[in-house]
Amino acid sequence: MQFTYCPVCGTELVAQERFGEVRQCCPRSECGYIFFLDPKVVAVVLVEQAGQILLGRRNHDPGKGLWSFPSGYVNRGEVVEEAARREVKEETNLDVKVLGLLGVYSESDTPNVLIVYRASIGAASAELKPQAEEVQELGFFDLDALPQLAFSFDRRILGDWAAARARDESKLSVRVGEE
């Protein structure tokens, strides 16, 4: 994204090195506007049920027809956990309980920063139903029977989820053994 004119004073922007990068800047010293191209924050939710994970077949690009986790952009001023719950509701019709942060994921040369949460289906949740605008189909999958995934991040997220589950089970077995 590029701007031609300063959104503060209307002067034509120029390319100048600022803070270690060439950025679009207002040449008027009394204005001083600098355009920072910020990353987009994406809330991703790994919904767990009986050892399986919920995936949706995407109904739009990127990754149309492939499978991924319920996810979407966080709106300005929105609490990330609330965005996570909202995205699951929008895509699946389910209400979820956010269990905790799984991880934060980013790659160089991509504008998206993923904040990934683990979640379970809420006790009073509605029926699982794909919302056609977002996803074509929904399903719960075992790790050893996954459909084709849409994004490079998805495998990393699944690996971290498997490791977190193993830690959870290890803690549970230690607590049970202490009784």
Side-chain angles (χ1 to χ4, degrees), residues 28-90:
R28 294 181 59 225
S29 60
E30 58 273 9
C31 177
Y33 174 80
I34 303 170
F35 177 69
F36 289 90
L37 189 57
D38 295 327
K40 291 294 293 176
V41 177
V42 179
V44 178
V45 186
L46 197 149
V47 180
E48 309 171 33
Q49 180 174 286
Q52 295 183 314
I53 55 159
L54 176 63
L55 297 174
R57 185 189 298 263
R58 295 176 57 81
N59 202 26
H60 53 83
D61 283 320
K64 184 175 182 175
L66 302 177
W67 295 78
S68 192
F69 309 103
S71 62
Y73 292 118
V74 177
N75 295 322
R76 183 182 202 104
E78 185 176 28
V79 173
V80 181
E81 293 85 354
E82 290 173 8
R85 286 188 289 275
R86 174 183 53 77
E87 285 295 336
V88 173
K89 183 70 172 180
E90 287 176 5

Side-chain angles (χ1 to χ4, degrees), residues 11 42-43 123 137 167:
T11 303
V42 179
E137 182 180 357
R167 284 192 304 273

Side-chain angles (χ1 to χ4, degrees), residues 78-143:
E78 185 176 28
V79 173
V80 181
E81 293 85 354
E82 290 173 8
R85 286 188 289 275
R86 174 183 53 77
E87 285 295 336
V88 173
K89 183 70 172 180
E90 287 176 5
E91 294 181 17
T92 70
N93 197 42
L94 294 176
D95 295 304
V96 294
K97 177 181 178 186
V98 173
L99 302 173
L101 180 68
L102 180 65
V104 177
Y105 302 81
S106 64
E107 293 178 344
S108 60
D109 298 325
T110 183
N112 296 329
V113 175
L114 280 60
I115 301 177
V116 183
Y117 293 96
R118 293 172 71 181
S120 62
I121 298 173
S125 188
E127 176 185 347
L128 179 67
K129 185 172 102 180
Q131 305 302 312
E133 184 178 322
E134 299 280 339
V135 295
Q136 303 170 18
E137 182 180 357
L138 295 165
F140 281 92
F141 297 90
D142 290 317
L143 275 179

Side-chain angles (χ1 to χ4, degrees), residues 7-27:
V8 176
C9 72
T11 303
E12 189 169 354
L13 297 173
V14 296
Q16 295 179 340
E17 184 166 333
R18 298 283 176 91
F19 303 104
E21 290 187 32
V22 175
R23 304 176 192 278
Q24 290 178 289
C25 304
C26 183

